Amino acid sequence: MAPPRKHDTDVILDAARTLVLADGPRAASVSAIAEASGAPVGTLYHRFGNRNGVLTAAWLRALRRFQDRTLAAADESDPVEAGVAMARAALRFGRELPEDARLLLNLRPSDLLDGGPDVEFNATLAEMNAPLIEHLRRVTHALFGRDGEREIDAVTRAIVDLPYAALRRHAHAPALPEWLEDDVTAAARTLLTSYRS
């Protein structure tokens, strides 16, 4: 008798993501995810606990993939270049992993999860977001000489809001326009450069 097949976590999370994007969060029941992924229902319960566990893992995986790219780009020493690189990384994430981008753009955790996010989820999210917030604060302080609420908001508009809005507008297109990264990062560069003390 052959040993039982180990089901790849990414296959399960991809199946959950596909169901959510195609038919909405309610379509992603444990049985539907099991059928779509080929994993036994028991495997899903054992690995993730319940439906919320699968959908939480899928959403956090998408966020981790986004943040890995953005944080790697943030290491530029010049604050304008760091901000431009972070904006470009967000757009590349949307181009390279469009399904993950759609999941993050269109669904909040409260849309996905029965009963909404729990304390553990919120703690994980805060921990994941902390390095990105620290980079935004660093860029802000380097450009303005301070990192007050208004200054952080201005930098966030250039680094976060511009690529987010562009990705959201083009999220359902078959592919992002070829020129999108260049246009959005040029706009981000103009804004960030204008903030230099």
Side-chain angles (χ1 to χ4, degrees):
M1 179 181 226
R5 186 174 144 221
K6 181 177 186 277
H7 290 277
D8 185 88
T9 297
D10 281 332
V11 171
I12 294 168
L13 299 183
D14 287 349
R17 182 190 61 201
T18 298
L19 287 166
V20 167
L21 292 176
D23 298 314
R26 295 296 130 231
S29 65
V30 169
S31 60
I33 296 166
E35 183 178 338
S37 67
V41 169
T43 297
L44 271 69
Y45 280 114
H46 176 73
R47 196 171 298 171
F48 300 102
N50 56 27
R51 174 185 175 278
N52 274 8
V54 181
L55 297 182
T56 294
W59 197 88
L60 289 175
R61 179 188 66 164
L63 182 63
R64 191 168 291 108
R65 289 171 168 178
F66 164 76
Q67 292 209 355
D68 286 348
R69 287 164 169 75
T70 306
L71 291 171
D75 282 340
E76 293 277 347
S77 59
D78 180 83
V80 170
E81 295 309 316
V84 169
M86 290 168 75
R88 186 176 293 278
L91 295 163
R92 284 198 179 141
F93 165 76
R95 187 177 300 284
E96 294 167 3
L97 296 167
E99 294 86 6
D100 279 343
R102 285 186 202 108
L103 188 66
L104 295 179
L105 289 165
N106 296 320
L107 293 161
R108 297 167 304 196
S110 59
D111 300 325
L112 285 174
L113 306 178
D114 296 329
D118 60 14
V119 171
E120 182 182 348
F121 178 90
N122 289 330
T124 300
L125 187 58
E127 183 180 331
M128 289 175 70
N129 284 335
L132 184 60
I133 292 167
E134 188 53 41
H135 278 293
L136 288 171
R137 190 173 295 283
R138 175 183 64 84
V139 168
T140 302
H141 196 276
L143 292 174
F144 285 99
R146 60 190 177 280
D147 57 3
E149 183 180 348
R150 185 174 184 181
E151 291 80 17
I152 289 175
D153 193 70
V155 168
T156 301
R157 282 194 300 273
I159 296 175
V160 178
D161 296 349
L162 275 174
Y164 175 84
L167 283 173
R168 190 171 182 84
R169 185 165 356 97
H170 295 285
H172 297 289
L176 294 177
E178 289 301 319
W179 39 261
L180 192 63
E181 285 94 339
D182 290 341
D183 284 7
V184 172
T185 54
R189 183 184 300 282
T190 299
L191 277 175
L192 292 169
T193 301
S194 76
Y195 300 153
R196 282 196 190 271
S197 299

